[in-house]
Each structure stands twice: as structure tokens, then as C-alpha cells.
Amino acid sequence: MTKPVPADVVSRLKAVLGEGGWSQDPDRLAPKLQEWRGRWAGQTPLLVLPRSTAQVAAVVGVCAAEGVAITPQGGNTGLVAGQIPQGEILLSTEKLTAVRDVDPIDDVMVLEAGVTLWEAHQQAARVGRRFTVGVASEGSCTIGGLISTNAGGTAVLRYGMMREQVLGVEAVLPNGEIWNGLKRLRKDNTGYDLKQLLIGAEGTLGIVTAASLKLHAPLASRAVAVVGLASPADAIQLLARAKDETGGAVEAFELMGRLGFALTVRNVPGLRDPLPEAHPWYVLIEIASGEPGAAEAALERLLAHALESGLIADAAVAQTETQMKAFWHIREGHSAGQKPEGAVWKHDVSVPVSKIPDFIGQADAAIGKAFPGSRIVAFGHVGDGNVHYDVLKPEGGDDDAHDAQREAGAKIVHDITAAFSGSISAEHGLGAMKSLEALTYKDPVEVEVLRAIRAALDPKRIMNPRVLF
Ligand SMILES: Cc1cc2nc3c(=O)[nH]c(=O)nc-3n(C[C@H](O)[C@H](O)[C@H](O)COP(=O)(O)OP(=O)(O)OC[C@H]3O[C@@H](n4cnc5c(N)ncnc54)[C@H](O)[C@@H]3O)c2cc1C
């Protein structure tokens, strides 16, 4: 728990923000102090709701002078507890929602930090462009949160992570100064790139207040299929073929094991299995092209070859936009599908794509041996080497007993990940949940350098002090 915030600092912050710019109302605070899965709860002496970058700077300035800690929060959809305060001032970006510019000539939009991902997609579409980051929490997660966690999602394979979508950042640094780095340049080789430090910093190096983001050309055709196959190794082969045979038009490639697929279809209302028979593994593949009809043709060709050669067992191609959405809903419903099953340990790991079959094989064997009866739901953005490796309690098992073994389970999964030179956090960040554990796996020389950078920018460690190193 962070040291208590002095009452006079709380009063000064209230005065800086004025009426409507802060709250201590327990009902107003409640949804911001609880993480969406209910795993973490927090507390704060004050919720601050700045309406402008200048107000953010004023708040951080007061906190910097007094050495008072701040936890930034966007949409509160983070999965590693980085946004839940434990006694710090809670700074929400919910009122920083201006759309400053959307420009289809520069192919850039400039959005404030509190704009949701869903709204970002609408703004891009308004000028005939696309913003390519896609995550299932799009209705709530914000530009500031996506940047601060360097979010991934379903289109990384083709367009890269959030980091690759950001051309410029405006931020309030831990000393309260405003850094205007809202450039729109695709080329700018003028030394260290400060925005890249802020991307993925999880709120530890300042508050992101706005960003200039890349827009992409619209698509003329999309085709989506759910494929049934025998193993992750076959899925990796299909991925390689898909890349070769479609000229790089693979928009998404998502792997799903039978258990997660079946739980999602059973537990999420309105879903049904698009294939007549059950398969050990499934892939959702999306091909997209700027040319009308090209995606459908490429997908049909790919699947016909794969069926003919016995690489896949069956496939259903979506015939309508509604069907495409339904297929995607199965993949995106995987977390919701597990919820009714009770306690689960979630691991968000990445390994080189070629190592995915070995990783899954070794992890399944080790978890099965250490925790007999536990149920494994492995799924994820396999085209990026990213596996969400979830371990559910045994059927009818006790939630608390499963929760009590969470750390031991994580150690097994993460040690295997590290043996493949993988990462224990592929896309969700470290937050308060994994920061300490990450020290076991990160290079000590790197950690020392990162700590020096943090200390240079934030000598009093006021920004999200429980997060990162
Ligand atoms: C159903 C569901 C599906 C998801 N799918 C994916 C997925 O596919 N890929 C993926 O990468 N993530 C996924 N996530 C995780 C989450 O949506 C992302 O991490 C998202 O980027 C968080 O955005 P947010 O606005 O909710 O941030 P928050 O949860 O509010 O905060 C996340 C972190 O960023 C910091 N932060 C927030 N705003 C700022 C700011 N303006 N300045 C500085 N620091 C800030 C916080 O302090 C915290 O450390 C999913 C979450 C859910 C609930």
C-alpha cells in the first residue's frame, strides 16, 4: 500500500480541478476500483478527472512537488492490475475525449487519450480509412491505455502492435511538464525516440494525453473461415502456406483448442459450432485485400489445397457479414466462455511461431502431471507466436484450492516459455501482477538500464509506483 496522501494535497488537487473535476463519491469510484474479472480491488483518497492536458499537468505538478503517487486509468480493461490504485491518487482520462484531427491526406488522426478504440474506428471510417488495432475490449479501452500497454490484438500479424501505429505522443511527464511530441512524420531520424519509451510504459513515465495515429487504406474484400485440424503443428503449416499463397494478405490467424471452443459455443448465448463434427484444434483465418473479390478467391484456393493434401480436416467459410461476425465472436468470446467454469489461471505468453507446438506439448504435459484434472484452454494470436494459455480448475473442483496454486502453475508455464526464449507477457503488460515475477526472467543488465531511465524521469517514483521495475 502506498503511503497516505496528506489532506492538504487532496484539497489543493480539488481546487486545481474545480467542480466536476474530481470525486470521492463511493458509487462513482466503485467501477474504477474493481478490475473487470473481479480479481483485484483497490482504493484511492481521490479520483481526479482532468478535462485538458493543462489540467493533467497541474495535477501532476502538485503531486510531483509533494511526492504523492498517481495511478493513471483509461478504460479499466487492463488484465494485469496496472490501473487499480492502492492508495494513490487515481487519475482517469475519461474526460480527455476530443478528436483533434482526422486527416486522410497525411493518413493520421490525432485523438485524446480517453477516446475509446471503438470511437477511433468510427473516426477513421468517417474519412474512408481504417485504424487497424483490434481488441475485444474496444467499447471501453482507450487510446491512452492501448499506448501505455502497447496492446496487441487480432491484427498484429499484418500491421504490428500499437507501437507501430503511433506517430506522435503528447504527454505530461512525471515533473508536470507537458511534452508536445504530436508529430505526424513517418520519417524522423533525430536521435532517441522518446515516444517509444512512453509506449508500453504502463503509466510509469508520465500520462499520455493525446496521440497521432496511423490510418490505413480501406479494404475491398474480406473472407473469414473456421478450420478444423488435428494439431498446433498443422496450424503452423497452414499459416506458412497462407502467407505464401495469398501474397501476404493474411489479416488474422487465431488458434483455438477444442475445450475453449466448446465452452465458448456452450456458454456464450447465440453462438453455434459452424462445423458438423468436433476437431481437436481450430483456426480462425481472415484474408483481406484492397481488390474486390480477391480475398474470397484466395481463401477458397488455400482451403481447397489444404483439404486436398490432408493438412486440414474441414472448413466453414462465412457467406455473409453476419456469419463473419459470428465466427469472430467464437474467438473473441473465449474469455467469456470460460467465466462460468470458475477459477482459472491465465498466462499470456509468446514464443517463436515455430516453437508453438513444442511449447503447448511441454506445457500440457507438465501442468497435467503437477495438477491432474486441471483443464487447459490454449488459444490466441498464433500468427504472432502469442498463446493465451489458460488453466481451468478440474471439473467440479474448488475455486479457492485452484486459486491457491496459481503461482506454482505460473512458474511451470513461464519456465517453459523462458526455455523457448519467449516472453511471460506477450501483449497485456506486467502491471502490479507480474512486475516482480518478470525480474526472474529479464536480463539484469537491461533491468538496471530501465531503472536508471525511470529514475531520471521520475526521481520520486510517483508514477504508478507498484508497476514495472
Ligand atoms: C475482453 C478483453 C479482451 C482483451 N483483449 C486484448 C487483446 O487481444 N490484446 C491486448 O493487448 N489486450 C487485450 N485486453 C487488455 C486491455 O484491453 C488492453 O490492455 C488495453 O490496452 C487497456 O486499455 P484501457 O484504456 O482499458 O487501460 P487501463 O486498463 O485503464 O490501463 C492499463 C494500463 O495503462 C495505464 N494507462 C492507462 N491510460 C493511461 C494514460 N493515458 N497514460 C499513461 N498510462 C495510462 C494504466 O495505469 C495501466 O497501467 C483485453 C481486455 C479485455 C477485458
Side-chain angles (χ1 to χ4, degrees), residues 318-364:
Q319 300 300 323
T320 61
E321 181 77 25
T322 312
Q323 255 182 13
M324 276 189 209
K325 281 193 183 140
F327 286 8
W328 265 111
H329 202 169
I330 298 176
R331 163 60 189 88
E332 289 179 337
H334 262 55
S335 292
Q338 289 175 47
K339 251 189 172 175
E341 302 298 314
V344 53
W345 317 324
K346 291 184 178 264
H347 310 98
D348 165 39
V349 303
S350 62
V351 295
V353 173
S354 59
K355 302 293 179 206
I356 282 180
D358 290 344
F359 164 77
I360 292 178
Q362 287 189 23
D364 284 3

Side-chain angles (χ1 to χ4, degrees), residues 182-244:
L182 277 182
K183 287 193 173 166
R184 301 167 173 222
L185 305 175
R186 275 147 219 266
K187 288 189 164 183
D188 178 18
N189 257 350
T190 52
Y192 304 130
D193 190 345
L194 181 53
K195 73 172 178 300
Q196 292 298 348
L197 261 184
L198 282 153
I199 300 169
E202 301 187 45
T204 61
L205 298 181
I207 313 267
V208 174
T209 49
S212 32
L213 303 166
K214 281 185 198 168
L215 295 175
H216 293 261
L219 294 170
S221 59
R222 283 176 66 208
V224 176
V226 169
V227 175
L229 32 66
S231 66
D234 287 350
I236 300 303
Q237 262 202 56
L238 180 66
L239 171 65
R241 278 200 200 178
K243 286 184 192 165
D244 289 347

Side-chain angles (χ1 to χ4, degrees), residues 148-467:
S148 301
T149 59
N150 183 26
T154 48
V156 174
L157 181 61
R158 196 162 184 184
Y159 305 99
M161 300 200 39
M162 189 67 186
R163 188 180 293 287
E164 271 113 316
Q165 312 311 321
V166 180
L167 293 171
V169 161
E170 177 192 88
V172 172
L173 300 178
N175 63 0
E177 270 181 345
I178 298 170
W179 171 53
N180 185 350
L182 277 182
K183 287 193 173 166
R184 301 167 173 222
L185 305 175
R186 275 147 219 266
K187 288 189 164 183
D188 178 18
N189 257 350
T190 52
Y192 304 130
D193 190 345
L194 181 53
K195 73 172 178 300
Q196 292 298 348
L197 261 184
L198 282 153
I199 300 169
E202 301 187 45
T204 61
L205 298 181
I207 313 267
V208 174
T209 49
S212 32
L213 303 166
K214 281 185 198 168
L215 295 175
H216 293 261
L219 294 170
S221 59
R222 283 176 66 208
V224 176
V226 169
V227 175
L229 32 66
S231 66
D234 287 350
I236 300 303
Q237 262 202 56
L238 180 66
L239 171 65
R241 278 200 200 178
K243 286 184 192 165
D244 289 347
E245 293 182 20
T246 66
V250 185
E251 185 87 358
F253 195 93
E254 302 282 315
L255 181 71
M256 297 168 275
R258 173 66 198 165
L259 178 62
F261 192 93
L263 288 176
T264 306
V265 170
R266 185 175 83 197
N267 293 336
V268 177
L271 292 183
R272 64 177 195 85
D273 190 337
L275 297 175
E277 283 171 27
H279 298 273
W281 291 90
Y282 298 84
V283 160
L284 182 148
I285 180 166
E286 175 164 340
I287 306 291
S289 167
E291 216 181 297
E296 294 87 336
L299 184 62
E300 292 288 353
R301 256 194 329 267
L302 171 75
L303 295 177
H305 288 166
L307 273 168
E308 222 174 77
S309 63
L311 180 60
I312 65 175
D314 200 0
V317 178
Q319 300 300 323
T320 61
E321 181 77 25
T322 312
Q323 255 182 13
M324 276 189 209
K325 281 193 183 140
F327 286 8
W328 265 111
H329 202 169
I330 298 176
R331 163 60 189 88
E332 289 179 337
H334 262 55
S335 292
Q338 289 175 47
K339 251 189 172 175
E341 302 298 314
V344 53
W345 317 324
K346 291 184 178 264
H347 310 98
D348 165 39
V349 303
S350 62
V351 295
V353 173
S354 59
K355 302 293 179 206
I356 282 180
D358 290 344
F359 164 77
I360 292 178
Q362 287 189 23
D364 284 3
I367 289 288
K369 189 167 168 217
F371 307 103
S374 56
R375 295 169 294 161
I376 290 157
V377 173
F379 67 103
H381 319 298
V382 79
D384 318 320
N386 182 186
V387 182
H388 296 314
Y389 191 86
D390 296 351
V391 184
L392 289 165
K393 70 173 183 182
E395 191 107 48
D398 180 60
D399 283 338
D400 291 340
H402 193 63
D403 276 338
Q405 293 174 312
R406 184 183 298 276
E407 266 181 45
K411 176 147 177 37
I412 290 173
V413 175
H414 290 162
D415 282 354
I416 294 170
T417 305
F420 286 108
S421 301
S423 166
I424 67 160
S425 181
E427 60 173 8
H428 296 158
L430 295 174
M433 179 185 164
K434 288 192 195 168
S435 290
L436 202 59
E437 189 191 359
L439 290 174
T440 313
Y441 299 103
K442 265 195 121 61
D443 183 312
V445 174
E446 185 184 355
V447 171
E448 204 180 313
V449 172
L450 297 175
R451 281 182 170 150
I453 292 171
R454 182 174 190 168
L457 282 169
D458 185 9
K460 293 182 184 166
R461 202 179 169 98
I462 63 162
M463 295 302 312
N464 230 355
R466 293 165 302 100
V467 170

